[in-house]
């Protein structure tokens, strides 16, 4: 007999009899009767079990019942930071925003200020409420959340995940950059978003501002990677190589994403000198490991150029 595979989450739930019993009640009983049924089952919750139940897909499918379970469990145990996060996330994903804010207010009143992750505000974007998500950034400090680059980056990332809304993220950045100093992650998020849009003009503008505001940082690989990849895919290969040389002089290099794209393009163009230079920079300077297709492309290029020894060396 063939049995369906269980997810790790489900296996974890079934490994805990209490969690399994509570979930059975949540799935079987109407939301309005959940608390009475839980009290009548004769089993008490623990903080660990509460988290286990709340992170289950059953609670995400039944947000009203999840709230009832959370309230019932709170009569016996103190809610952990993770439990609060899970509840807020459940309500946000269900677009129950008034209840979500009520939960955050309650969390603050119970002394849990600052425990709810800024990522929970991304629920607005998931539901398509970009304006509400942006407004939430302005009031986060009222709920114990820092009004800083971490919060800004969480919001920008959430907006950029919504197709066609990159300009909204850029507008948020322009409006807040005077009061919330951006960091490397801020620019990396925007550059990755403009890369997906294929907008080299906006990418160059963001990159220029990044250099002015935070300077050069070898750790900011993803930002350099996205910027150069945008230029290359936009047909601006020569310009990308010029920027690459500047980065190199500052001790900064992009990641494998750019090098893979660049190698593919120069090999297809038969640009032997640039291909060899890029390969050396990638392997010897950036310390990156090429993939199989990159090796194959370079071996073919060396063979076509008559550099058999170099081709055998790569092989």
């Amino acid at each position: 007999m063939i049995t369906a595979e269980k997810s790790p989450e489900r296996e974890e739930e079934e490994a805990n009899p209490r969690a399994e019993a509570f979930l059975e009640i949540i799935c079987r009983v109407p939301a309005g009767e959940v608390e009475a049924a839980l009290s009548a089952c004769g089993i008490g919750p623990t903080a660990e079990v509460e988290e286990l139940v709340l992170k289950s897909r059953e609670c995400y499918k039944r947000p009203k019942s999840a709230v009832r379970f959370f309230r019932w469990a709170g009569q016996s145990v103190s809610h952990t930071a993770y439990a609060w996060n899970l509840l807020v996330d459940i309500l946000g994903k269900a677009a129950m925003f008034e209840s979500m804010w009520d939960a955050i207010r309650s969390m603050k009143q119970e002394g849990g200020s600052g425990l709810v992750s800024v990522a929970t505000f991304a629920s607005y974007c998931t539901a398509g409420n970009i304006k509400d998500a942006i407004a939430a950034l302005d009031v986060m400090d009222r709920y114990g959340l820092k009004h800083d680059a971490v919060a800004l980056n969480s919001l920008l990332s959430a907006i950029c995940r919504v197709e066609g809304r990159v300009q909204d993220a850029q507008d948020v950045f322009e409006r807040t950059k005077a009061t919330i100093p951006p960091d490397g992650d801020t620019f990396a998020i925007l550059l990755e978003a403009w890369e997906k849009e294929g907008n080299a003009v906006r990418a160059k503008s963001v990159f220029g501002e990044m250099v002015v505001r935070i300077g050069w940082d070898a750790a900011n690989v993803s930002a350099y990677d996205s910027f150069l990849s945008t230029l290359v895919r936009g047909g601006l290969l020569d310009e990308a190589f010029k920027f690459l040389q500047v980065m190199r002089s500052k001790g900064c290099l992009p990641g494998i994403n750019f090098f893979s794209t660049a190698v593919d393009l120069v090999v297809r163009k038969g640009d032997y000198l640039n291909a060899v230079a890029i390969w050396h920079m990638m392997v010897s300077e950036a310390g990156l490991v090429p993939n199989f297709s990159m090796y194959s492309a370079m071996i073919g290029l060396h063979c076509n150029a008559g550099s058999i020894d170099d081709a055998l060396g790569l092989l």
Side-chain angles (χ1 to χ4, degrees), residues 53 67 87 94 118 130 136 152 190 200-201 247 251 259 290 293 306:
V53 171
V67 171
L87 179 66
V118 294
I130 303 296
L152 173 63
L190 292 173
V201 173
M247 289 180 192
F259 283 114
S293 62

Side-chain angles (χ1 to χ4, degrees), residues 85-240:
N85 272 293
L86 287 168
L87 179 66
V88 173
D89 192 49
I90 289 169
L91 295 172
K93 283 184 168 61
M96 297 171 61
F97 296 119
E98 285 192 24
S99 297
M100 185 184 84
W101 283 108
D102 287 341
I104 295 174
R105 291 188 189 97
S106 297
M107 174 274 301
K108 185 179 180 183
Q109 291 170 359
E110 293 186 17
S113 179
L115 295 179
V116 176
S117 167
V118 294
T120 56
F121 290 90
S123 299
Y124 278 112
C125 301
T126 304
N129 298 318
I130 303 296
K131 290 184 179 179
D132 287 340
I134 294 170
L137 180 69
D138 296 326
V139 300
M140 284 170 57
D141 55 344
R142 301 178 191 174
Y143 301 94
L145 298 172
K146 292 182 179 180
H147 206 230
D148 56 10
V150 175
L152 173 63
N153 295 345
S154 178
L155 177 60
L156 293 179
S157 181
I159 295 174
C160 289
R161 285 198 294 269
V162 181
E163 187 175 353
R165 305 306 293 266
V166 180
Q167 186 58 52
D168 289 314
Q170 186 71 45
D171 291 342
V172 170
F173 168 74
E174 298 296 341
R175 180 174 66 84
T176 60
K177 64 185 181 183
T179 55
I180 305 178
D183 59 15
D185 288 338
T186 309
F187 291 103
I189 291 167
L190 292 173
L191 286 168
E192 181 180 347
W194 287 124
E195 178 192 357
K196 291 178 181 177
E197 292 284 314
N199 195 322
V201 173
R202 297 310 300 265
K204 283 193 281 187
S205 175
V206 172
F207 183 80
E209 184 163 359
M210 179 184 75
V211 172
V212 170
R213 282 183 169 269
I214 66 173
W216 298 94
D217 181 1
N220 204 8
V221 173
S222 60
Y224 304 136
D225 200 52
S226 292
F227 173 59
L228 292 178
S229 295
T230 305
L231 296 183
V232 169
R233 292 195 177 105
L236 304 174
L237 190 59
D238 291 339
E239 192 169 355

Side-chain angles (χ1 to χ4, degrees), residues 56-72:
S56 69
R57 64 171 60 93
E58 285 85 353
C59 276
Y60 275 84
K61 290 179 181 178
R62 301 169 177 80
K64 292 182 180 179
S65 294
V67 171
R68 302 278 183 160
F69 168 77
F70 182 85
R71 187 164 59 188
W72 173 79

